[in-house]
Amino acid sequence: MIAGRKFRSRLMTGTGKYRSLEDMRQSIAASGSEIVTVAVRRVQTKAPGHEGLAEALDWTKLWMLPNTAGCQTAEEAIRVARLGREMAKLLGQEDNNFVKLEVIPDAKYLLPDPFGTLEAAEKLVKEGFAVLPYINADPLLAKRLEEVGCVTVMPLGSPIGSGQGIKNEANIQIIIENARVPVVVDAGIGTPSEAALAMELGADATLINTAIACAKNPVAMGKAMGMAVEAGRLAYSAGRIPVKVYASASSPLTGTIVGATS
């Protein structure tokens, strides 16, 4: 449940880096994802390879999550968020005020700016946006963003597109423990096992793009990620056994044969 809207799938997907629009379409369908993030600047531009992106997906069945990718300052992100809201309306989602907030001034490591993110989030919340901020796995920042009215927090597992997996497990667990809004692990997941781990930690959802789009078979990987997220959530709900420093036999010791008789 995000901003009062209920979703069946706990996997969010993206639209970048696919080899073709058809690969993108099929992969998202195979994943079972309902929330799909779209870079507003990709839709606005007419550059080669970007044509038809908005029309490639059926927005009567999917929920658009416009994102402010490419914005380096809070001011830029706010302007692009406003464009994203209008874009969603033009595509038929009149009540869509969601925005994935990204403020990334660092071109090499693509790490989000905590100060710019918080500044933009405060202003966008006041303008009626449902803000989903992309952040470093910083428990204090996550709580502050929740307090100013963000509807989720989205800590990175590791840098965008790196495929390094969950590199900050302890901090993500603290964020999950303290959050009163959904926690979405976003960025760095490279394999289904890593997606399952994010869910086993107690995350409410994951957002995965590069690992699906750049796989040798993106459609198969989309399906695998969808299954992994379901398995990880089910495992979390089931409750894992405690970790012990010693062995514990799984077979009962009663009725053990202790010696032979003649």
Side-chain angles (χ1 to χ4, degrees):
M1 186 76 73
I2 301 175
R5 190 175 185 90
K6 190 173 183 179
F7 300 94
R8 295 185 305 276
S9 173
R10 293 180 182 271
L11 174 62
M12 303 180 185
T13 50
T15 53
K17 298 185 177 179
Y18 283 96
R19 290 182 282 271
S20 69
L21 290 179
E22 187 57 30
D23 273 357
M24 179 189 71
R25 226 181 340 252
Q26 292 185 27
S27 300
I28 291 171
S31 75
S33 171
E34 293 173 280
I35 300 176
V36 180
T37 186
V38 177
V40 176
R41 287 184 169 180
R42 287 191 69 207
V43 176
Q44 294 291 319
T45 184
K46 298 298 181 184
H50 295 180
E51 306 96 327
L53 177 60
E55 296 76 25
L57 297 170
D58 184 352
W59 298 111
T60 64
K61 297 178 180 177
L62 299 170
W63 189 248
M64 177 180 285
L65 177 56
N67 73 57
T68 63
C71 294
Q72 298 185 1
T73 66
E75 291 75 18
E76 278 186 283
I78 291 166
R79 286 197 300 271
V80 172
R82 291 167 182 157
L83 289 172
R85 182 158 60 181
E86 294 308 310
M87 178 179 74
K89 288 180 180 178
L90 288 171
L91 293 172
Q93 298 186 1
E94 291 285 341
D95 58 341
N96 189 341
N97 61 351
F98 281 40
V99 62
K100 184 190 175 197
L101 176 60
E102 299 182 21
V103 181
I104 303 177
D106 166 33
K108 183 175 183 181
Y109 298 105
L110 299 178
L111 296 174
D113 173 8
F115 308 105
T117 300
L118 181 58
E119 178 187 346
E122 289 181 298
K123 293 178 180 177
L124 289 170
V125 167
K126 289 177 181 176
E127 292 188 20
F129 283 89
V131 181
L132 293 78
Y134 170 63
I135 60 170
N136 289 299
D138 179 342
L140 296 177
L141 175 62
K143 180 53 67 176
R144 182 68 182 124
L145 286 162
E146 179 184 327
E147 289 169 351
V148 302
C150 291
V151 297
T152 71
V153 288
M154 304 180 74
L156 57 83
S158 54
I160 295 173
S162 69
Q164 294 177 22
I166 310 296
K167 291 297 187 183
N168 35 38
E169 185 175 324
N171 276 19
I172 289 175
Q173 284 185 305
I174 294 171
I175 291 171
I176 291 168
E177 181 181 341
N178 292 322
R180 295 174 181 266
V181 295
V183 177
V184 183
V185 175
D186 178 14
I189 289 173
T191 65
S193 60
E194 292 161 0
L197 172 59
M199 302 306 295
E200 288 169 13
L201 293 175
D204 296 277
T206 61
L207 196 159
I208 303 172
N209 184 184
T210 303
I212 298 173
C214 295
K216 289 182 180 178
N217 185 333
V219 178
M221 187 60 80
K223 183 176 182 180
M225 289 296 187
M227 295 169 71
V229 166
E230 281 194 39
R233 181 65 185 187
L234 186 59
Y236 171 74
S237 300
R240 65 156 293 146
I241 62 170
V243 177
K244 300 178 180 179
V245 296
Y246 51 86
S248 177
S250 56
S251 298
L253 298 178
T254 55
T256 304
I257 299 174
V258 295
T261 58
S262 56

